[in-house]
Amino acid sequence: MTEFVKVASTDDIPKGGMKGFGMNGKKFLVANVGGKFYAMESTCTHAKGPLANGTLSGKEVTCPWHGSKFDVTTGKVTGAPARKDELTYEVKVQGKDLLVKL
């Protein structure tokens, strides 16, 4: 069963920033792209690198281990060596609460 869970406040993730979370057995990150929030798995599909420790440029996150790139808005691979897309999660904002559907 999937449900929305509160993970943070909108103030915790500034525009152009991202933050990693571990909850309900999942590791994911939430990114703020131009004031809109997106969530996706934070374990790289290439070699299990920690995407939340990578860099966010625009809507693209780069894995710190081997440089794989993913679009945080869609989870799609945008740069090798990864070939498999990341799973994304629905995000909802209620007041200042960030909720992610896990």
Side-chain angles (χ1 to χ4, degrees):
M1 182 174 169
T2 57
E3 61 184 53
F4 280 96
V5 293
K6 180 183 175 185
V7 297
S9 164
T10 54
D11 294 334
D12 295 335
I13 308 170
K15 283 184 185 176
M18 66 179 173
K19 187 173 181 177
F21 299 91
M23 196 173 286
N24 293 356
K26 300 178 186 298
K27 289 184 179 178
F28 60 97
L29 62 85
V30 177
N32 182 338
V33 179
K36 187 162 180 182
F37 294 91
Y38 299 91
M40 73 176 201
E41 287 284 326
S42 65
T43 302
C44 183
T45 59
H46 168 248
K48 310 276 188 237
L51 291 176
N53 294 343
T55 56
L56 180 66
S57 178
K59 62 180 186 172
E60 190 172 68
V61 64
T62 302
C63 181
W65 285 8
H66 303 110
S68 294
K69 296 176 187 271
F70 301 89
D71 181 329
V72 295
T73 68
T74 64
K76 301 280 185 203
V77 174
T78 58
R83 291 189 212 135
K84 185 176 181 233
D85 296 338
E86 289 288 347
L87 182 63
T88 58
Y89 300 102
E90 188 178 346
V91 177
K92 189 165 41 172
V93 178
Q94 288 184 335
K96 287 198 170 265
D97 293 341
L98 278 175
L99 307 161
V100 176
K101 190 173 187 177
L102 299 175

